[in-house]
Amino acid sequence: MGISAKLKLLESSLNLNRRDFLKISAIASAAGLVSLKSRKAEAFAYEPYLKDDELSTVVTSCAHNCGSRHMLVAHKKGDVIVRLSTDNGTYQGDAYGTDTEEMPQLRACLRGRSYRSRLYSAERLLFPMKRVGKRGEGKFKRISWDEALDFVAKEMVRLKEEYGPTALLDQSYAGASWGVLHKSDQIEGLQGRFLGLFGCRTSSWSVPSYQGTTFSSRMTFGTIKDGNEDDTFAHSKLIIMWGWNPAYTFHGGNTFYYMRLAKQRGCQFVLVDPQYTDSAAAYDAWWIPIKPNTDAAMMAGMAHYIFTNNLQDQAFIDKFVQGMDAGTMPDWAKNRENFKDYILGKYDNEPKTPEWAASICGVKASDIKKLADMYATTKPAALKASWAPGRNAYGEQYNRMAAALQAMTGNIGVLGGSSEGVGKAWQAQGIAYPYDKSTNIWKQSIKSDRWAHCVLNYPNLKREEIGLWPRSDATDGQIPNIRGIFWHGSDWFNQLTNINKEIQAIRKMELVVCMDSTITPSGLWADILLPITTHFERHDVALPGALPQSLLER
Ligand SMILES: Nc1nc2c(c(=O)[nH]1)N[C@H]1C(S)=C(S)[C@@H](COP(=O)(O)OP(=O)(O)OC[C@H]3O[C@@H](n4cnc5c(=O)[nH]c(N)nc54)[C@H](O)[C@@H]3O)O[C@H]1N2
Ligand SMILES: Nc1nc2c(c(=O)[nH]1)N[C@H]1C(S)=C(S)[C@@H](COP(=O)(O)OP(=O)(O)OC[C@H]3O[C@@H](n4cnc5c(=O)[nH]c(N)nc54)[C@H](O)[C@@H]3O)O[C@H]1N2
Ligand code: SF4
Ligand SMILES: [Mo]
C-alpha cells in the first residue's frame, strides 16, 4: 500500500471516529467552538438528573497509564454519557457489595470517575489545527482533515527524500498504552507501525521512569519478569515501602486492597522515603526519612548488619544466589569480588557498616540496624523497592542492592516476599498486531529523553550520548538525522527534563505533529494538531498494566 492509500485509510478511520464523537458529544454543529451557547442541554449532567431507568449502561474500563485497569460503568442517555460509576460487586455476576480476596472489586479512583470532565471538556480539541504564528507561539487556525492530512503526507515524503529514513522521530508513549487495538507506545503502538511501514522512523526507547530498575532486573534476575503479583502482599508479615507511595502511584490493580488485608492480618509497615506519605499514614508505618539518592548506602549498611550477625538465609543463598559470597562464586569467577566481602570491606578497606551508611544517608545507625533486624527475622517480608529512588544518576545501584537484600533473606519466590524489579512474573498480554521485524520497522532508535541532544549536536555525537540501540546491519551506529516529530500519547514538553534544551531543538524541526485530546504543552510547539478519540469513543480491549511483549523478550 502506498503512502497516499495509507493516509486515506487513516483519514477514513479518523473521520468515522470523528462522526461518532460529534454525535455523542452533542456539540455537533460545525461551528461547535464558536456557538457554545446553542448546545443542547441534555448533553450535560447538571441538567435534569436522569434516573437509572431512563439510562442504558455500558461496562467499560479506565485507560490511564497508572498500571491499573479499573472498571468504569458509563450511564448513557442515547449516546451521551451522563454519569460514570464503578464496580459495586454486581458486575462480576455476584451480589451487590461482593468484595472478597478471591473476587475483589475493581473500584476506580477519583481520576477515573471524573473522566467525563475530560471527555466533554470545553478544552477538547475538536478539529485539526494548523500553526499560523511562529512555532511555540500557540497560534493555530482550524483546517479540514483533507488539508491537514495532505500537508502532513507531503512533508513526510519530502523529509524522507531529503534526509533519509531516520528523519521522523516516533515519540509515542504512555498516554494510552493499554489498549490492544489503539496503543500508543514505542514498541507495539500504532504510530510506530505507521511510520515504520512508511519507511522513515527513528524510534525512541525508555522514559525517565524505571530505567535503573529495568537494568538491575536484567543484570540480577536475567529477566524483567521478576516481581510478585500484588495479591501476594496480603500474605506479608512486614512490608517495607521503599520510595513507594501506593496510595498515589499504583503498580497494579488492587495494591491498596491487598495491603489492607495484610494490615488486618498483623503485618507491620515501614516507609523509607524523604517525604511522609498518605500510605504511611494509612498503614501506620514506621517512617524513616532518608536523603534522596542515598538508598544504596543505607541498604549496604543493612546488609553489613545481616552478615555480621549471621542473619542471612544461608541455605537459600547456597542453593540459588550466585556471587553472594565466596562459596557461591561460579567457576569462571572464582577469584573475583563477591558481594559479602565487598560489604565487609575486604577490597577497599571500607566496611559498609551502619555507621558508615548513616554518615551518607542521614538515617541513624541504630535505625538502620533495627530495620535490618526486622527484615532478616520477619518471614515472609516484602521489601518493595520502587522505581523513584533509582530515577537518578547511578540509580541502578539502589535496585541491585535491594535485590541483594531480597536474595540474602530468602524473600524471592516466596508468597508474601518480594523480588520486585520492573515487571511482574505474570502478565496479561493481548496483541492485535503481532510484533515482528516486518511491521515494527525502525531505522534507528535513541533514548527518548536524549532527542534534543541528538538534534542539537547532529552529527557530532558518540552513540552513547543518545543511547543509540544496536542494529545488526550496516546502519549500526549511524546517528539519526531527525527533522520531524510525531507525538502520539506523549507530552514531552511537560514530562521530560531540561525543557529549555527541548525548545532549542524543536526550533530546528521542519515538521511537528501532535495527536492529543487537548492542546498540551507539547502541542503548543506543533505545526499540526490532530484531535483524537478517547477510550470512550472507540472499541478496544483493555489490558491491565503490562510491559510490551517485545520488551519482555529483549
Ligand atoms: N513532571 C513530571 N514528569 C514526569 C513524571 C512525573 O511524575 N512528573 N513521570 C515520568 C514518567 S514515570 C512517565 S511514564 C512519563 C509519562 O509521560 P507521557 O506519556 O508523556 O504522559 P501522560 O501525560 O500520561 O500522557 C501523554 C498524553 O497522552 C494523551 N493521551 C491519552 N490518551 C490518548 C489516546 O488515546 N491517544 C492519544 N494520541 N493521546 C492520548 C494525554 O492527553 C496526554 O497529554 O512522564 C515522566 N515525566
Ligand atoms: N495513580 C497513578 N499511579 C501510577 C501512575 C500515574 O500516573 N498515576 N503512573 C505509573 C507510572 S508510568 C510509573 S513510572 C509509576 C511510578 O511509580 P514510583 O516510582 O513508585 O512513584 P513516584 O510517585 O515517582 O515515587 C514514589 C515515592 O518515592 C519517593 N522518592 C523520591 N526520591 C527518592 C529517593 O531518592 N529515595 C527514596 N527512598 N524515596 C524517594 C517519593 O517521595 C515518593 O513518595 O507509577 C505508576 N502508577
Ligand atoms: S487507578 Fe488508574 S485505572 Fe484505576 S481508575 Fe484511577 S486512573 Fe483509572
Ligand atoms: Mo512511568
Side-chain angles (χ1 to χ4, degrees):
M1 209 191 284
I3 172 70
S4 57
K6 254 177 246 147
L7 276 176
K8 271 275 172 292
L9 204 66
L10 176 73
E11 183 189 356
S12 64
S13 78
L14 283 171
N15 273 339
L16 189 71
N17 289 334
R18 193 80 241 130
R19 273 197 295 276
D20 285 346
F21 168 69
L22 289 176
K23 219 167 48 190
I24 62 171
S25 68
I27 311 173
S29 78
L33 272 183
V34 289
S35 63
L36 279 178
K37 271 192 234 110
S38 69
R39 66 192 176 192
K40 283 196 191 154
E42 68 252 29
F44 296 88
Y46 49 75
E47 285 300 323
Y49 196 81
L50 293 154
K51 294 194 280 305
D52 277 350
D53 54 10
E54 297 171 77
L55 302 173
S56 58
T57 51
V58 175
V59 179
T60 179
S61 91
C62 184
H64 186 73
N65 170 46
C66 68
S68 315
R69 200 58 55 238
H70 291 120
M71 183 187 291
L72 286 177
V73 183
H75 300 259
K76 301 197 309 166
K77 171 83 177 167
D79 281 334
V80 178
I81 300 174
V82 296
R83 28 182 194 277
L84 288 175
S85 67
T86 188
D87 202 349
N88 61 17
T90 55
Y91 298 102
Q92 298 147 327
D94 230 302
Y96 178 83
T98 302
D99 196 18
T100 61
E101 191 171 358
E102 295 71 31
M103 226 199 279
Q105 289 182 18
L106 292 169
R107 287 191 301 272
C109 78
L110 290 179
R111 187 207 313 256
R113 293 181 202 212
S114 62
Y115 226 104
R116 268 186 76 258
S117 56
R118 213 166 145 179
L119 176 63
Y120 298 132
S121 165
E123 290 184 21
R124 194 71 197 270
L125 188 59
L126 298 174
F127 314 101
M129 306 276 253
K130 188 173 186 190
R131 170 168 70 81
V132 288
K134 274 199 285 190
R135 185 174 290 133
E137 218 181 350
K139 289 190 182 151
F140 297 92
K141 67 165 186 193
R142 179 182 164 185
I143 55 171
S144 69
W145 275 103
D146 274 347
E147 217 181 316
L149 294 177
D150 281 353
F151 176 85
V152 175
K154 278 189 192 127
E155 283 300 284
M156 286 173 72
V157 171
R158 181 181 71 78
L159 291 175
K160 183 181 164 187
E161 277 169 7
E162 278 180 38
Y163 303 109
T166 58
L168 297 174
L169 179 63
D170 171 8
Q171 289 198 324
S172 340
Y173 195 60
S177 317
W178 310 111
V180 172
L181 297 169
H182 303 263
K183 209 174 204 179
S184 68
D185 78 26
Q186 303 134 318
I187 297 168
E188 289 163 358
L190 284 177
Q191 176 171 282
R193 212 174 150 84
F194 173 62
L195 294 177
L197 289 170
F198 173 57
C200 185
R201 176 185 179 217
T202 290
S203 182
S204 43
W205 61 273
S206 103
V207 272
S209 176
Y210 45 53
Q211 220 50 50
T213 315
T214 312
F215 178 83
S216 161
S217 285
R218 289 216 170 92
M219 294 306 123
T220 315
F221 294 94
T223 172
I224 58 174
K225 285 172 151 180
D226 51 355
N228 286 19
E229 275 294 299
D230 280 9
D231 54 354
T232 63
F233 281 126
H235 305 274
S236 298
K237 295 277 177 287
L238 169 70
I239 297 178
I240 305 175
M241 300 179 284
W242 204 301
W244 189 43
N245 180 13
Y248 287 15
T249 35
F250 319 118
H251 288 189
N254 265 350
T255 320
F256 221 65
Y257 173 82
Y258 295 119
M259 290 170 72
R260 190 162 54 93
L261 288 181
K263 179 80 188 170
Q264 287 165 358
R265 292 166 187 169
C267 178
Q268 291 175 280
F269 286 77
V270 178
L271 170 74
V272 183
D273 197 310
Q275 61 169 332
Y276 186 73
T277 63
D278 283 356
S279 304
Y283 296 123
D284 190 19
W286 171 28
W287 175 42
I288 305 176
I290 184 171
K291 289 184 191 164
N293 200 8
T294 63
D295 303 86
M298 175 162 167
M299 288 175 164
M302 288 171 67
H304 187 277
Y305 177 89
I306 292 171
F307 280 135
T308 50
N309 288 280
N310 210 20
L311 294 174
Q312 72 274 22
D313 185 339
Q314 197 62 45
F316 183 88
I317 292 172
D318 290 341
K319 194 162 177 197
F320 297 115
V321 194
Q322 232 177 35
M324 180 60 80
D325 54 22
T328 57
M329 293 298 277
D331 285 343
W332 60 267
K334 270 280 175 263
N335 302 316
R336 307 251 185 105
E337 296 184 5
N338 66 71
F339 180 71
K340 183 175 182 179
D341 287 334
Y342 164 76
I343 291 293
L344 297 179
K346 188 173 163 191
Y347 308 117
D348 57 1
N349 290 322
E350 182 75 86
K352 313 299 176 295
T353 60
E355 289 73 18
W356 165 87
S359 69
I360 296 169
C361 67
V363 178
K364 281 189 294 192
S366 55
D367 282 344
I368 297 174
K369 291 178 195 171
K370 183 176 155 191
L371 181 62
D373 202 271
M374 275 169 80
Y375 183 51
T377 58
T378 314
K379 310 268 174 186
L383 167 58
K384 163 72 189 189
S386 196
W387 308 333
R391 208 174 279 141
N392 47 44
Y394 309 107
E396 67 280 2
Q397 300 301 353
Y398 144 78
N399 291 103
R400 296 178 71 202
M401 200 57 91
L405 284 176
Q406 291 160 351
M408 67 196 287
T409 56
N411 275 305
I412 293 174
V414 171
L415 188 67
S418 174
S419 53
E420 181 75 275
V422 78
K424 317 239 186 227
W426 183 86
Q427 308 227 8
Q429 292 289 346
I431 297 169
Y433 321 105
Y435 169 83
D436 66 54
K437 291 201 165 54
S438 65
T439 51
N440 189 298
I441 299 161
W442 48 278
K443 302 298 179 177
Q444 296 297 344
S445 181
I446 60 170
K447 186 158 189 304
S448 54
D449 53 359
R450 304 301 290 164
W451 78 270
H453 190 75
C454 181
V455 166
L456 293 171
N457 296 288
Y458 174 84
N460 304 310
L461 284 159
K462 294 201 196 77
R463 69 181 303 159
E464 55 269 30
E465 287 177 66
I466 52 170
L468 196 60
W469 201 266
R471 287 185 62 87
S472 51
D473 62 19
T475 68
D476 184 51
Q478 277 178 21
I479 307 296
N481 187 3
I482 297 165
R483 301 294 170 142
I485 295 188
F486 278 69
W487 280 312
H488 175 235
S490 66
D491 189 6
W492 277 165
F493 274 65
N494 197 55
Q495 317 288 37
L496 290 188
T497 51
N498 205 347
I499 309 282
N500 288 327
K501 192 167 174 177
E502 287 199 275
I503 289 174
Q504 283 176 31
I506 200 100
R507 294 196 202 281
K508 298 201 149 192
M509 292 296 100
E510 297 179 30
L511 173 68
V512 182
V513 180
C514 183
M515 290 165 257
D516 211 304
S517 53
T518 61
I519 304 182
T520 60
S522 308
L524 284 175
W525 292 86
D527 301 331
I528 293 283
L529 301 168
L530 298 177
I532 58 138
T533 52
T534 69
H535 57 276
F536 288 111
E537 298 154 314
R538 59 194 187 211
H539 295 286
D540 211 330
V541 179
L543 291 174
L547 296 161
Q549 189 59 37
S550 43
L551 192 67
L552 295 172
E553 281 162 10
R554 250 181 215 161

